Amino acid sequence: MIIRNVRVFDGLSGKTIDNADVLVEGTHVIAVSTSPIAGDSSDGVVEINGNGKFLMPGLSDAHVHLMGNANNMMEFLQAPTGTLYGNTIAEAKRMLLRGFTTVRDMGGDTAPIKSLIDRGTFEGPRIFPSQAMISQTSGHADFAFVYDTPEEFGGKPSRTEDIHFTRVADGVPRVLAAVREQLRQGASQIKLTLGGGAASMYDPLNTLQYTPEEIRAAVQAATDYGTYVATHVYTPEGIARAIEAGVKSIEHGHLSDEATVKLMGDNGTWLSMQPFAEDDHHYPDPVRSAKNTEICKGTEEVYEWAKKYGVKTAWGTDLLLEPQSAARQSVMAARLGEFYSNVEALKMLTSGNAQLFELAGERNTYRGGKLGVIAEGSWADMILVDGDPTADLSLIADPDTNFNLIVKGGQIIKNTL
């Protein structure tokens, strides 16, 4: 395939390459050239005239819950598992049509779906699965009812554990087993919950979850498998405990203070943050709604400190249990422009997130090409935009209208030219 006459944003530099041709063979980009690339349809070459439009790498999301995006709480608790997986596969296709060609899933049984997508059975983004979120009893990912007996005392696992969305594990031996279980099931990285959250029922935001010994055990087990631990945590105390234990990626961090953000920068710890607005999530009860409000207030300040101290920052959404809101993923991507320049935002949405994904080492099954860039040898994951997102980032908020062409692995997913 040759995509001719396009303005190429490679995902790495702030400049674009005008009047370029991009050659794709199989699943990879072979060349980006300002001279015409030889080839015509009589040789079996698919030629696409980009008409001078903006070609960029596919978007990525560093914090999705594909199963959580696709199903609501009642479905989690009551629906047959076939319904849960069917909804998830359908949402994967919708996410790809929004231009998201790679995602890091931070809780949910998505390794089987990843395998089906990678084989070509279904269409969807490349997935870096974490498998079940690992939580202590009464922690952020404990979805048992308050009257249920904890498994530690002979009780049964909750429904969310049965469907591999969460795993409750207390004490070093169980934490080790829980981490190894997710790795056995195909996790690219491990997700621990180390503090309270808005979506959870029992844990105030200021709680510290998991002891240093438990966190270090999880980190050791992940490291032994060649990968890393990412942690749900908002507060300075929780973030500091995570960093001390060797955690590589802080998920959220909205309630951090300046000293703790500097600590992240000093240690090379990733901040995987989401530009939340209060209406991204809807909580019917006042307690969770108040937690959501508190989280959102910290966003702007933490982003400023992250820039000040050179923190490696990734972007994600963390939309969960509200399928009707899944399409806000595109709106939240454009909202990143409220905190960064348009070019900085686009780089984070492409090559920046990809650098975080690469921490998975040999657990990264996409090592055969570079993600998040358009360059010789990169995966052929690309979007042709009708307009210039470096001048108007809001274009990516409406992919149905503004994305004329979506290519993943050299396969045309959408073409309205």
Side-chain angles (χ1 to χ4, degrees):
M1 176 167 57
I2 302 174
I3 305 176
R4 299 194 183 278
N5 185 25
V6 287
R7 184 182 177 203
V8 176
F9 173 77
D10 65 5
L12 291 169
S13 67
K15 298 179 180 179
T16 55
I17 304 170
D18 294 331
N19 303 313
D21 285 3
V22 178
L23 173 63
V24 174
E25 289 185 7
T27 56
H28 289 71
V29 173
I30 301 302
V32 179
S33 175
T34 53
S35 300
I37 294 175
D40 58 59
S41 56
S42 64
D43 296 327
V45 175
V46 175
E47 292 189 84
I48 298 174
N49 186 351
N51 297 311
K53 297 181 188 292
F54 188 95
L55 187 73
M56 62 176 287
L59 297 168
S60 61
D61 189 328
H63 195 121
V64 302
H65 294 280
L66 263 171
M67 186 169 279
N69 273 29
N71 296 279
N72 61 34
M73 180 58 84
M74 290 307 296
E75 287 168 323
F76 263 41
L77 296 178
Q78 296 183 344
T81 54
T83 298
L84 297 174
Y85 288 100
N87 288 342
T88 303
I89 289 168
E91 173 57 24
K93 174 66 177 290
R94 291 190 292 267
M95 196 172 286
L96 181 59
L97 288 172
R98 293 195 287 269
F100 289 89
T101 55
T102 305
V103 299
R104 189 178 60 144
D105 192 279
M106 299 310 290
D109 188 22
T110 55
I113 292 169
K114 164 193 166 62
S115 296
L116 292 169
I117 290 172
D118 289 348
R119 284 184 215 156
T121 307
F122 296 105
E123 288 186 329
R126 304 178 191 277
I127 301 174
F128 286 78
S130 301
Q131 291 303 98
M133 296 182 281
I134 301 172
S135 169
Q136 69 174 43
T137 298
S138 80
H140 176 62
D142 180 358
F143 283 85
F145 294 111
V146 67
Y147 48 76
D148 286 339
T149 300
E151 192 175 358
E152 188 75 15
F153 302 135
K156 296 181 179 179
S158 68
R159 164 67 169 165
T160 59
E161 291 187 80
D162 286 340
I163 62 174
H164 307 295
F165 188 70
T166 64
R167 171 61 73 203
V168 173
D170 296 296
V172 167
R174 283 184 175 264
V175 168
L176 285 171
V179 170
R180 291 165 179 164
E181 176 190 33
Q182 309 323 310
L183 293 168
R184 182 181 68 185
Q185 292 178 351
S188 301
Q189 62 285 318
I190 295 299
K191 166 80 173 294
L192 292 184
T193 62
L194 302 190
S200 42
M201 295 177 281
Y202 314 124
D203 51 343
L205 290 175
N206 63 354
T207 56
L208 284 169
Q209 298 174 18
Y210 276 132
T211 65
E213 292 76 18
E214 289 169 315
I215 304 169
R216 282 195 291 270
V219 168
Q220 185 65 63
T223 302
D224 289 347
Y225 231 73
T227 187
Y228 69 100
V229 170
T231 54
H232 163 104
V233 61
Y234 287 105
T235 64
E237 296 81 7
I239 294 169
R241 179 177 288 189
I243 293 172
E244 175 67 24
V247 166
K248 298 295 185 185
S249 178
I250 301 300
E251 307 298 310
H252 314 312
H254 295 69
L255 302 182
S256 185
D257 57 22
E258 185 171 1
T260 307
V261 174
K262 183 178 184 300
L263 183 66
M264 283 187 259
D266 291 344
N267 283 272
T269 308
W270 279 85
L271 173 64
S272 174
M273 197 168 167
Q274 305 75 38
F276 286 141
E278 284 192 57
D279 60 351
D280 289 330
H281 301 89
H282 304 91
Y283 298 108
D285 62 284
V287 173
R288 287 191 288 173
S289 180
K291 289 196 285 186
N292 182 53
T293 298
E294 185 178 353
I295 289 165
C296 293
K297 286 180 180 178
T299 304
E300 183 173 0
E301 202 167 41
V302 173
Y303 270 134
E304 286 301 316
W305 291 330
K307 288 186 281 187
K308 179 178 179 180
Y309 294 109
V311 177
K312 294 180 288 189
T313 308
W315 171 89
T317 49
D318 194 32
L319 297 168
L320 185 64
L321 301 177
E322 297 181 52
Q324 70 277 12
S325 298
R328 292 185 72 87
Q329 182 181 34
S330 300
V331 174
M332 291 178 70
R335 192 185 299 151
L336 191 58
E338 297 178 15
F339 307 98
Y340 292 87
S341 73
N342 291 347
V343 169
E344 288 172 332
L346 287 171
K347 288 167 68 174
M348 194 184 302
L349 291 162
T350 54
S351 65
N353 278 355
Q355 291 176 40
L356 172 57
F357 302 160
E358 288 169 0
L359 292 184
E362 292 190 2
R363 304 283 75 74
N364 169 14
T365 61
Y366 307 116
R367 298 191 307 278
K370 290 292 290 182
L371 292 167
V373 299
I374 298 177
E376 182 179 340
S378 68
W379 290 106
D381 302 344
M382 298 174 287
I383 305 168
L384 192 66
V385 185
D386 187 8
D388 181 1
T390 64
D392 181 8
L393 195 63
S394 70
L395 291 167
I396 66 176
D398 186 2
D400 286 349
T401 302
N402 300 319
F403 291 177
N404 295 143
L405 178 73
I406 299 173
V407 177
K408 181 201 161 198
Q411 297 294 312
I412 296 173
I413 306 301
K414 173 185 176 181
N415 184 4
T416 62
L417 290 172

